[in-house]
Amino acid sequence: SSSSSSSSSLFRRAMEGVRRVDVVLVGPNVRLDDGVERDVFHAVSSSKRDNADDDAKETETETDDTIEIRVAYRVGLYHNLREQDRKRRRDGDRADFFADTAGDDERADETSGADEEGRGGADEEGDGDRASAATAATASASPAVTDFSPDLALAFNAGVWGYEPDQWRPTMREILFEDECPLLVTGYTLAETECDEDALGEMFPASGGEGGGGFGGGDAADGGAGPREEVEWLWESEMNPFRSLDERELAFDR
């Protein structure tokens, strides 16, 4: 149809020049099958396009527009995981500094007497081993995932409206103000997304009173948004034109 053709064209323009997409799935309820390692990126095997899609196949042979996709899984609350990442990096920096200092001391000991050099060298070698172990432990946490900086955060059917503001605010604050990343929230119904929008507006005021209906916020000390924590609403609640048309019974009336 013309709609799907237009969407495909838009997607191609948006993804022009992109060679890899990294997706990190985060949440306290993430469940992994046996043998699936968390906190590391897994390559997603690409399947061949539909044989009926002749245009796509023709384009694929003319130009290499293949996009690599990697997926990682993290179990926990996003803001807690990010704080752990920052602590791990700080500890890693300290371990690297300690290793460098140990190396300088060892080189200085080389100028001393043979006995003193032997004792000093053994001591410093032991310290160096401990420093290397600390650095290796940091590296084993998959820096590619822990250093991940998102371009877009998606909260699928998050039901923000159904929680106390303090339950979602730390993660929203991490995404919007630490990652400085746009956030997209979806809901089962248009009414639910409007409730989510209201809930987010109560957490963070709209910049200049625009876009979010002039939402207000409190002081950071009171658990509300601080002076710099204003959001700009780029896209307000609306029906998703690509939504599933299958009816689903809900346990709530929104």
Side-chain angles (χ1 to χ4, degrees):
S1 66
S2 59
S3 176
S4 61
S5 176
S6 175
S7 299
S8 176
S9 176
L10 178 62
F11 176 79
R12 288 182 178 277
R13 292 201 304 272
M15 300 302 290
E16 185 176 358
V18 175
R19 289 291 172 262
R20 189 183 76 208
V21 174
D22 289 338
V23 179
V24 178
L25 303 176
V26 186
N29 299 319
V30 171
R31 297 291 182 267
L32 302 178
D33 292 338
D34 293 340
V36 178
E37 189 176 358
R38 68 185 191 183
D39 296 333
V40 298
F41 278 113
H42 303 269
V44 177
S45 59
S46 58
S47 59
K48 293 185 179 295
R49 301 185 182 187
D50 194 320
N51 292 333
D53 192 354
D54 294 332
D55 292 337
K57 286 199 303 180
E58 182 179 345
T59 303
E60 194 171 34
T61 57
E62 291 176 356
T63 60
D64 181 14
D65 59 354
T66 303
I67 298 176
E68 178 189 1
I69 300 177
R70 303 191 307 171
V71 178
Y73 307 94
R74 309 199 69 185
V75 181
L77 297 174
Y78 183 72
H79 60 281
N80 288 339
L81 293 169
R82 295 295 278 179
E83 178 56 36
Q84 292 169 15
D85 294 341
R86 287 189 285 268
K87 181 179 184 301
R88 189 177 292 113
R89 285 193 291 272
R90 290 193 299 267
D91 292 345
D93 290 341
R94 283 195 290 269
D96 290 340
F97 173 77
F98 180 72
D100 290 341
T101 303
D104 290 341
D105 291 344
E106 186 173 332
R107 286 189 292 274
D109 286 341
E110 291 177 357
T111 61
S112 59
D115 292 340
E116 183 178 352
E117 179 182 358
R119 290 192 297 272
D123 290 341
E124 295 301 337
E125 182 179 356
D127 290 339
D129 288 344
R130 287 192 290 273
S132 297
T135 305
T138 302
S140 68
S142 183
V145 173
T146 57
D147 294 338
F148 178 82
S149 180
D151 297 307
L152 174 65
L154 301 124
F156 293 110
N157 304 328
V160 180
W161 62 270
Y163 295 82
E164 293 296 325
D166 287 343
Q167 292 180 281
W168 266 109
R169 185 183 287 117
T171 283
M172 299 302 187
R173 178 179 286 140
E174 183 74 31
I175 293 170
L176 295 170
F177 305 112
E178 296 297 333
D179 292 337
E180 297 183 345
C181 172
L183 168 68
L184 175 64
V185 181
T186 72
Y188 287 108
T189 66
L190 179 59
E192 184 182 25
T193 60
E194 290 172 343
C195 291
D196 285 341
E197 186 177 331
D198 291 342
L200 287 168
E202 292 174 2
M203 293 182 201
F204 308 104
S207 57
E210 300 175 357
F215 291 122
D219 294 333
D222 297 330
R228 73 181 183 92
E229 295 183 343
E230 296 181 340
V231 299
E232 178 184 2
W233 291 89
L234 303 176
W235 188 6
E236 297 183 26
S237 298
E238 66 177 50
M239 193 67 77
N240 178 8
F242 305 103
R243 67 191 180 279
S244 171
L245 299 180
D246 293 335
E247 293 288 341
R248 175 177 177 178
E249 293 186 8
L250 302 177
F252 51 87
D253 58 358
R254 297 181 185 237

